Each structure stands twice: as C-alpha cells, then as structure tokens.
Amino acid sequence: MRTVRGWFRDTTGGLPRTFWYLWTGTLINRLGSFVLIFLAIYLTQARDFSAAQAGLVIGLWGVGGAVGTTVGGTLADRWGRRPTLLTAHLGAATMMLALGFARPLWTVAVGALLLGMFAEAARPAFGAMMVDVVPERDRLRAFSLNYWAINLGFACAAVLAGLAAEAGYLLLFVVDAVTTLATALIIFVRVGETRRAPTTGAVKGATGGPPRAGALRTIAADRVFLGFVVLNLFGALVFLQHISMLPIAMGDAGLSPATYGSVIALNGVLIVAGQLFVPRLIRGRSRSHVLALASVVMGIGFGLTAFADAAWFFGLTVLIWTLGEMLNSPSNATLIAELSPAELRGRYQGVFSLSWQVAGAVAPVLGGVVREHVGNGTLWLGCAAIGAATAVAHLLSGPARERRASQLTRPTAPTVPVTAVQPPPPQSAEAAATAPAEPVPARTPA
C-alpha cells in the first residue's frame, strides 16, 4: 500500500493548480466527445451517404481544422491563450448543434468544415498554456496525465455514444455541445491568462542571435522541426483510419454501431490502465528508437485489420495499435516541447497540430478512395507499409533532432508575465525555452 501511495504521489504530486483545471476540462470534454467517434456511421447509415461522401465530409472537418490550428496558434501568441480557448469552445458548441440539424450534403459539409475550424483552434492555445504553467521537469508526467484524461473520457464516450446512437443520433450532437460548453465555463471561471510577453532580449533567436524577422519565415527555415512534422503527418494518416474507415469496415462485416463503440473503447481502456506507467518505462531511452518502435507496432495493428472478420479480431487489432499509440504520445510531446522557441510557442504548436489536420482532411478521403477502388485489404496493408517506412525515417532523423533540441534548451533571457489571474510557478530559463506538443491528438478537442 505504501508503494502504491508513493507511486501515486510521484505521478500526480507537485503540479500547478491551473494544470488540474485544464485536466478537468479535458476529462469533461472527452466524456461527451460523441460526434467524431460515430460521424462516419452517422453519415452512412442515418444520412445514407456513400463511403466516399462520408470521407469527403470528414475530410472537410480536417480542412477546417487546418485553418483553425493555424489561426489558433497565431491568436494564442498575439491575443492570448484564454480568449482563444473561450472563443474556440463557444464556436464549436454552436456548430455542433448546427451540424446535428443539417440534412442536405452541402449543409453537412459546411457544418463539418466550420466545426473542425473552431474545435481545432483550441488545440495550440491549450498546448501552449500547458507548457506555460508546468515546469520543464514535470512536463513528461503532465502530458501523460492529460493524455490519460483524454482516453478515460474517450473510453467512456465510445460506449455511451453507442447506446445514445440507438436512442437517436441527434442526442450525440447535443451531449457533445453541452460538455464543450462545460469546459468553456471551467476556463472562464478558474483559468487565468498565462501568456508571457518576451522582454527585449527574449525576442532574439533561441541561441542569442538577432531578432526574428517573422514567425512563419522562422518556422519555414527550421528544417529539423518541419521534418518531424512530416513524419507525424504520415503516422496520423494511418492512425486516423480508426475514425473513418474502421467503422465502415466493421459495418460491412455485419457489426452494429454499438459493437464498434465497444471495440474502439478498448483503445481508451488500455491507455487508462497503462499510460501512467509508460513515462517510467521509456525514461532514459532514445526517443527516436521509441518513436520508431511505436510506428512499427501501430502499422502491424492496422495492417491486421485486413484479415479481421469478427468483433474479437477487430478488438485485437485495436489493442495492438493502441500499444504503439501509448509509446508515441509522451515522446512526441516532450520532443516538440524542446524543438520550439519560447516566443513562438503557440505558432509552433499550431504548425505541429496542422499535420494532424492535414491528415484529418486527407486520411478519410484517401481511405475511402482506396477502399472503393482497390479493396479493403490493400488499404490496411498499405497502413502497415507506411508504419514501417516512418520507423526507418525516425531512426535516420533522430540524431539531428536531438542536436536541435539541445541547442534550444540552452539558457535564454527571462520572460515577464503580461497578465495572469493565477500566475504560473517560476520557471527556469531552460524551461521557458521549450514548447509543447499535443499528445496524439487523434481525437480533436471540441
């Protein structure tokens, strides 16, 4: 018992109060994240759209998300984290209800586009705020705890959504909107602004060079960072098939929406049961090796879907690629944090999130086309091939990433807070020079 208490204290102790408010908002939001889980089934069964049309609508969600993360990252740095989060959540709740009442294809498509834009605009601001308030030494476990909350909510939502779908699909949209508003309320009441304005010295380059001419120019010249974003894009193209083509494949196998909800809930259950042990397991190991292993395991899991024909088999594939997801998330989060200059934290977060949104736009469309014209088996075996190729690329590019991260974590000039209702704890100059990454955000925050 004493050992369990010690582990719990080491895992959760010492984190700022603002982090726990954000954590609570994440959990509530994910408990109601019904729509994206069942959107493909809703479009093909309730609205009678084809697989290609459903892929197009989900793809437009991704297009909107790409715009949202780009704008959200800029607003998080210029306007502030808190107003960006509030605006994004209120807009997402409104569009969630609008999408639930939309009927013609074009109205559904426009609704998905706008919903993706508002929902994903929250991602860069949320990630930047996490790093604002959590010291560098605690970020690995903070990211893991937040990812744990995401998947605890996701596991419950997947099961509840399957039951709610039996009562009526409109209920999915209503519950999702209500939990999104609840998250906005927590941020409005309990979370203050955490953005820090750079001092005169802090606007210089991370290694003390001349002032930056422009944020986008700086990011465009950062080849190491962009290379990592591209690798994440390929991983996301594989991973996001679980919310677009997997439910359609299970439906073709004669399985009900409730069965899909139960099978996909295994993803969240496994992460809830084991994710908090992962940081200790991978601490001190090469992040490139961990990311390569994660890519291989995820590729195997999705590749085996080509042979699945029963609920237990689909469940087995979910468990396998979930193991890869669990390895990928904390390594991704800490690495992006170290690759991002402090004064461009929101923008770097937005560009990294953009890889997920591009994948969100391309994955369902590409998956639908491949599945209809080449075959279901080719789609899933292609996912395995992409996983293997991504693993090799991680091994080759790893040393350059670590050198870049080491350069950016050298001490820089201190920063001063602009406003903070609840100021973050003092950070070292080294911690101020890092930036976050979303844990596998396959599941978009609404």
Side-chain angles (χ1 to χ4, degrees):
M1 179 64 69
R2 193 171 297 174
T3 302
V4 173
R5 288 178 181 174
W7 168 83
F8 184 78
R9 184 171 56 251
D10 292 341
T11 302
T12 63
L15 293 171
R17 182 179 300 177
T18 301
F19 165 78
W20 288 111
Y21 290 137
L22 294 172
W23 184 92
T24 302
T26 295
L27 179 60
I28 293 173
N29 197 345
R30 299 304 173 149
L31 284 171
S33 58
F34 289 178
V35 171
L36 190 57
I37 299 174
F38 276 80
L39 186 57
I41 295 176
Y42 167 74
L43 294 173
T44 54
Q45 295 188 6
R47 299 274 71 87
D48 294 324
F49 295 161
S50 68
Q53 290 174 322
L56 175 63
V57 171
I58 299 174
L60 287 173
W61 179 309
V63 172
V67 176
T69 53
T70 303
V71 174
T74 301
L75 291 178
D77 283 340
R78 293 185 177 180
W79 189 21
R81 325 307 196 198
R82 186 172 183 265
T84 302
L85 282 173
L86 289 174
T87 302
H89 280 79
L90 292 174
T94 301
M95 294 312 306
M96 194 76 68
L97 293 175
L99 182 60
F101 287 102
R103 290 297 178 267
L105 176 60
W106 73 269
T107 59
V108 173
V110 172
L113 177 72
L114 294 176
L115 177 56
M117 183 179 69
F118 280 109
E120 294 304 322
R123 186 186 295 273
F126 184 91
M129 184 174 277
M130 284 271 290
V131 161
D132 288 343
V133 301
V134 178
E136 190 275 336
R137 66 180 181 276
D138 295 326
R139 285 176 190 158
L140 179 60
R141 59 194 182 97
F143 291 143
S144 295
L145 283 167
N146 191 65
Y147 194 54
W148 185 84
I150 288 173
N151 285 278
L152 175 60
F154 177 78
C156 296
V159 176
L160 294 175
L163 299 176
E166 300 293 335
Y169 282 103
L170 181 61
L171 184 60
L172 303 181
F173 296 89
V174 173
V175 173
D176 211 333
V178 169
T179 55
T180 302
L181 288 174
T183 303
L185 181 62
I186 292 174
I187 295 170
F188 179 75
V189 174
R190 306 304 303 179
V191 178
E193 179 56 64
T194 64
R195 179 174 62 95
R196 290 169 169 255
T199 61
T200 302
V203 297
K204 295 181 178 181
T207 58
R212 297 180 181 275
L216 293 180
R217 191 182 308 170
T218 300
I219 296 173
D222 194 341
R223 295 182 180 180
V224 172
F225 170 74
L226 292 180
F228 186 64
V229 171
V230 170
L231 291 183
N232 188 73
L233 170 63
F234 281 105
L237 287 173
V238 173
F239 183 76
L240 291 180
Q241 298 302 326
H242 82 281
I243 58 174
S244 55
M245 293 302 108
L246 179 60
I248 295 175
M250 292 184 64
D252 288 348
L255 302 175
S256 68
T259 301
Y260 168 73
S262 299
V263 167
I264 202 64
L266 294 174
N267 169 259
V269 170
L270 182 58
I271 292 175
V272 168
Q275 186 65 46
L276 296 183
F277 298 96
V278 171
R280 183 172 297 182
L281 178 66
I282 66 176
R283 186 178 292 122
R285 300 183 184 276
S286 167
R287 283 182 293 202
S288 299
H289 291 175
V290 173
L291 289 170
L293 177 61
S295 297
V296 170
V297 174
M298 289 178 64
I300 292 173
F302 280 100
L304 287 174
T305 309
F307 309 102
D309 56 359
W312 70 267
F313 203 154
F314 282 106
L316 177 62
T317 66
V318 170
L319 291 177
I320 293 173
W321 57 254
T322 297
L323 293 175
E325 180 188 357
M326 292 168 66
L327 293 172
N328 182 81
S329 173
S331 299
N332 242 356
T334 56
L335 187 55
I336 287 297
E338 295 176 17
L339 289 175
S340 307
E343 68 272 21
L344 300 178
R345 182 169 292 162
R347 291 175 177 87
Y348 265 70
Q349 183 77 332
V351 171
F352 180 73
S353 297
L354 185 62
S355 65
W356 284 103
Q357 307 322 313
V358 172
V362 174
V365 177
L366 184 61
V369 171
V370 171
R371 192 172 185 278
E372 285 192 5
H373 296 283
V374 186
N376 184 67
T378 302
L379 168 65
W380 301 113
L381 293 177
C383 289
I386 293 175
T390 303
V392 173
H394 274 303
L395 294 176
L396 295 176
S397 60
R401 289 199 301 259
E402 296 300 333
R403 287 194 299 269
R404 170 68 171 164
S406 178
Q407 291 173 357
L408 284 176
T409 52
R410 292 173 184 170
T412 60
T415 58
V416 294
V418 178
T419 56
V421 177
Q422 297 171 349
Q427 292 183 327
S428 65
E430 177 180 348
T434 57
E438 275 284 308
V440 173
R443 298 160 192 112
T444 53

